[in-house]
């Protein structure tokens, strides 16, 4: 399998490059960043060469930024021959940008997975948190999500906190309230973001009842975790038919299989 890394010079891009090189069934054909292209280890190529270079890849992995993701959208939109799979790990995209990817998936016949968190542990947390919500919310438990990330993170709340909140809100009749500044309403699922230091990422879901509290949390201990998850999810998306997918489209059975059979 051949991959192209968009955002290859970034913190995540470097980790994913390492994870790809550590497998024996993937190769990195090239990458792109704000400073240009790297193709088969040669740096400094111009963006004009993107279309030719990227057609050698089965999968494009994007861990860049909102602006970097827009650049990628532009080149894929303008390239009539682009027809590969794409894993989007960049976070902070607005609805307009996501809608455009949905259109591109159809127009260009690309299998696109929007993955604001590529940790398999978070995917499991997502499933478990919905189950707990379904049982506890009708019993009067309030649900709140707290997330912490390093001081350099550009978006808040994290894409993962939104993903978790949307999962729970989707199975309950609740609305998501971000960084509340007034009284709590009973129909809300609150999401609060903390920023500072070098925290890779922590997410805690709290189920707060009158007599007991349940808290489930996930703590990322290294960026390598997201990188290895990105490779596994990349393997999942290349096997899908063209279309736009979200993490929630991966069934619990597929997820367990990915975890049990992981080779990275
Ligand atoms: N899905 C997940 O599990 C997960 C986990 C961690 C992070 N993330 C997300 O992944 C993204 C990257 O994070 P990071 O920590 O690696 O960031 P980073 O270290 O700042 O790296 C950003 C990368 O994107 C490139 N880039 C930025 N703007 C660009 C543009 N306009 N055109 C082309 N390339 C551009 C940068 O290129 P230059 O070096 O040339 O500037 C660099 O290669 C962020 O959105 C972050 O929130 C997702």
């Amino acid at each position: 399998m051949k991959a192209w890394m968009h955002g290859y010079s970034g913190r995540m891009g470097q980790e994913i490059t390492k994870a790809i090189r550590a497998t024996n069934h993937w190769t990195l054909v090239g990458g792109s960043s704000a400073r240009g292209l790297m193709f088969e280890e040669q740096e400094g190529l111009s963006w004009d060469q993107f279309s030719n270079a990227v057609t050698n890849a089965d999968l494009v992995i994007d861990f860049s930024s909102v602006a970097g993701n827009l650049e990628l959208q532009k080149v894929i939109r303008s390239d009539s021959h682009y027809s590969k799979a794409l894993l989007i790990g960049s976070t902070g995209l607005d609805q307009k940008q996501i809608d455009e990817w949905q259109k591109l998936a159809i127009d260009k016949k690309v299998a696109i997975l929007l993955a604001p968190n590529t940790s398999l542990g978070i995917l499991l947390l997502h499933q478990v948190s919905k189950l707990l919500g379904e049982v506890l919310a009708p019993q009067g438990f309030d649900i709140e999500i707290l997330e912490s990330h390093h001081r350099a993170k550009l978006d808040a709340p994290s894409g993962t906190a939104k993903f978790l909140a949307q999962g729970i809100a989707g199975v309950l009749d609740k609305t998501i309230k971000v960084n509340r500044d007034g009284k709590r309403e009973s129909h809300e699922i609150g999401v609060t973001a903390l920023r500072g230091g070098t925290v890779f990422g922590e997410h805690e879901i709290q189920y707060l009842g009158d007599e007991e509290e349940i808290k489930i949390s996930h703590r990322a201990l290294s960026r390598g975790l997201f990188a290895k998850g990105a490779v596994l999810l990349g393997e999942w998306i290349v096997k899908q038919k063209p279309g736009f997918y979200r993490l929630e489209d991966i069934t619990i059975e597929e997820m367990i299989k990915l975890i049990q059979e992981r080779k990275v």
Side-chain angles (χ1 to χ4, degrees):
M1 183 120 67
K2 292 176 177 171
W4 180 277
M5 183 70 234
H6 184 61
Y8 80 94
S9 54
R11 286 166 291 206
M12 281 305 303
Q14 290 297 298
E15 283 295 336
I16 295 169
T17 299
K18 248 196 276 169
I20 288 173
R21 290 190 172 136
T23 67
N24 49 20
H25 56 298
W26 277 64
T27 49
L28 187 76
V29 290
S32 32
S33 80
R35 66 190 88 155
L37 305 189
M38 178 267 294
F39 183 54
E40 291 175 346
E41 308 297 334
Q42 192 193 339
E43 289 215 34
L45 303 182
S46 96
W47 273 89
D48 304 343
Q49 287 156 285
F50 179 80
S51 302
N52 288 338
V54 86
T55 47
N56 287 330
D58 302 300
L59 171 72
V60 174
I61 302 177
D62 164 45
F63 277 70
S64 56
S65 64
V66 172
N69 181 275
L70 272 175
E71 288 294 325
L72 190 62
Q73 234 172 30
K74 246 195 288 171
V75 288
I76 291 177
R77 167 64 72 202
S78 63
D79 176 5
S80 55
H81 304 296
Y82 187 89
S83 60
K84 305 285 176 194
L86 168 65
L87 172 71
I88 301 176
S90 293
T91 63
L93 314 190
D94 65 17
Q95 196 52 49
K96 192 166 159 239
Q97 204 161 338
I98 294 172
D99 289 348
E100 173 64 4
W101 281 121
Q102 283 177 317
K103 269 196 240 131
L104 278 172
I106 297 162
D107 296 352
K108 299 284 179 179
K109 299 192 172 45
V110 191
I112 299 178
L113 174 62
L114 183 67
N117 194 304
T118 54
S119 145
L120 297 178
I122 283 287
L123 297 191
L124 282 179
L125 188 73
H126 179 252
Q127 298 283 355
V128 173
S129 65
K130 285 195 291 186
L131 181 69
L132 283 179
E134 280 177 306
V135 177
L136 297 174
Q139 303 297 317
F141 283 69
D142 299 320
I143 305 174
E144 293 284 310
I145 298 176
L146 183 63
E147 60 100 338
S148 311
H149 279 89
H150 55 90
R151 61 172 78 90
K153 186 163 175 62
L154 296 177
D155 50 321
S158 67
T160 305
K162 289 190 215 160
F163 167 59
L164 292 168
Q166 281 158 3
I168 304 168
V171 293
L172 304 172
D173 190 19
K174 302 273 182 198
T175 53
I176 298 167
K177 180 76 186 174
V178 172
N179 293 331
R180 175 184 302 107
D181 60 2
K183 188 178 176 297
R184 186 182 205 287
E185 302 290 340
S186 61
H187 58 83
E188 291 174 356
I189 294 174
V191 179
T192 305
L194 302 184
R195 291 289 173 267
T198 57
V199 185
F200 286 126
E202 286 187 26
H203 293 86
E204 182 171 81
I205 305 164
Q206 304 189 0
Y207 301 84
L208 307 167
D210 293 339
E211 295 181 311
E212 59 185 343
E213 296 169 356
I214 298 176
K215 296 180 183 178
I216 52 172
S217 66
H218 177 272
R219 192 150 70 98
L221 300 180
S222 83
R223 283 195 181 85
L225 155 84
F226 302 113
K228 289 174 186 164
V231 172
L232 288 174
L233 294 177
E235 286 179 5
W236 183 85
I237 191 63
V238 293
K239 291 185 195 134
Q240 307 307 311
K241 293 195 187 116
F244 184 82
Y245 299 84
R246 294 176 184 271
L247 290 171
E248 352 353 12
D249 296 320
I250 306 175
T251 64
I252 183 89
E253 291 79 17
E254 286 174 310
M255 201 180 297
I256 291 169
K257 201 159 173 258
L258 280 176
I259 293 170
Q260 288 174 339
E261 292 177 2
R262 68 175 138 194
K263 299 187 191 87
V264 284

